[in-house]
Amino acid sequence: MAKSRKQQYAEETRRVLVMAARRLFNKDGYAQTSLDTIAKAEGLTKGAVYHHFKNKGEIFEAVIRQVMAEAVQTVATAAQSEDAERRMIQAVDAFIDICRTDEYQRIVLRDGPAVLGLARWKALEQEYTADYVGEMVQELIRARGSEVSEVMLTRLFMAWIIEIALMVAEAEADDELYTQAKAFMLHMFAVI
């Protein structure tokens, strides 16, 4: 069944609000961005924002979900090797590169845990990346004939990846840490 004009308009308004919020959260940060600013950026009223989101935290979660989903897609696109180990290396390289971008650092790595709380932020990371990481770990275990627990290794990889992402964000333009982070992950793959 086709969507009504009202439904189409509502979806478009929501999309526009999320994009405006994303630009502003990236530019000014969560604390400095108000719902009024988000609405005015698109020529809308604060009431229009409240029609789609109950508060600033809810629109922030919509933004962080969008950024995380795009990051996973970027990683998946970058990791195309037929070799499981090479594909995992490509994925880690792509993810660490994403972690160095201003937008990912500000929205996901800095404001994300502060705004959502560490538990909610980790839950979103799990939601967006655990299946993907789990599939890659499973392929790596199978390719090597290892008898390591897939569940345990996936959770450890997730923890390492999150911690490395936070370290890269904290270090900002520290190329040495960036190189060390990649080397560490390569070393961890060798352990499997």
Side-chain angles (χ1 to χ4, degrees), residues 33-45:
T33 301
S34 70
L35 289 177
D36 278 333
T37 308
I38 294 168
K40 287 178 183 173
E42 295 301 322
L44 298 168
T45 65

Side-chain angles (χ1 to χ4, degrees), residues 138-170:
Q138 184 180 49
E139 289 176 21
L140 197 56
I141 289 171
R142 204 176 11 227
R144 291 196 174 158
S146 299
E147 295 190 21
V148 180
S149 164
E150 178 188 327
V151 173
M152 176 87 61
L153 195 55
T154 298
R155 293 209 49 192
L156 286 173
F157 270 25
M158 290 293 300
W160 291 330
I161 289 167
I162 289 169
E163 194 57 37
I164 285 172
L166 293 170
M167 286 171 46
V168 168
E170 290 167 5

Side-chain angles (χ1 to χ4, degrees), residues 2-72:
K3 294 178 185 176
S4 70
R5 284 184 190 245
K6 186 176 180 178
Q7 289 172 318
Q8 290 174 348
Y9 178 75
E11 287 177 7
E12 179 61 15
T13 301
R14 181 180 169 85
R15 186 190 68 73
V16 165
L17 286 169
V18 170
M19 291 309 297
R22 182 174 175 169
R23 280 191 315 273
L24 292 165
F25 290 147
N26 182 37
K27 180 176 160 269
D28 301 324
Y30 178 85
Q32 301 303 319
T33 301
S34 70
L35 289 177
D36 278 333
T37 308
I38 294 168
K40 287 178 183 173
E42 295 301 322
L44 298 168
T45 65
K46 195 172 177 180
V49 177
Y50 281 121
H51 179 73
H52 296 279
F53 302 97
K54 66 180 177 185
N55 56 38
K56 187 168 79 164
E58 194 173 277
I59 197 168
F60 180 77
E61 185 166 324
V63 168
I64 200 169
R65 284 176 172 281
Q66 186 179 70
V67 174
M68 286 179 167
E70 288 173 11
V72 171

Side-chain angles (χ1 to χ4, degrees), residues 68-89:
M68 286 179 167
E70 288 173 11
V72 171
Q73 184 58 50
T74 299
V75 169
T77 300
Q80 295 293 317
S81 177
E82 293 294 319
D83 177 70
E85 185 169 336
R86 182 73 196 132
R87 189 168 44 262
M88 182 71 92
I89 291 167

Side-chain angles (χ1 to χ4, degrees), residues 111-154:
D111 283 349
V115 172
L116 301 173
L118 193 56
R120 180 69 186 136
W121 179 78
K122 281 186 172 183
L124 285 177
E125 280 287 337
Q126 282 284 120
E127 181 180 333
Y128 281 90
T129 59
D131 288 344
Y132 181 74
V133 172
E135 288 171 15
M136 294 189 83
V137 166
Q138 184 180 49
E139 289 176 21
L140 197 56
I141 289 171
R142 204 176 11 227
R144 291 196 174 158
S146 299
E147 295 190 21
V148 180
S149 164
E150 178 188 327
V151 173
M152 176 87 61
L153 195 55
T154 298

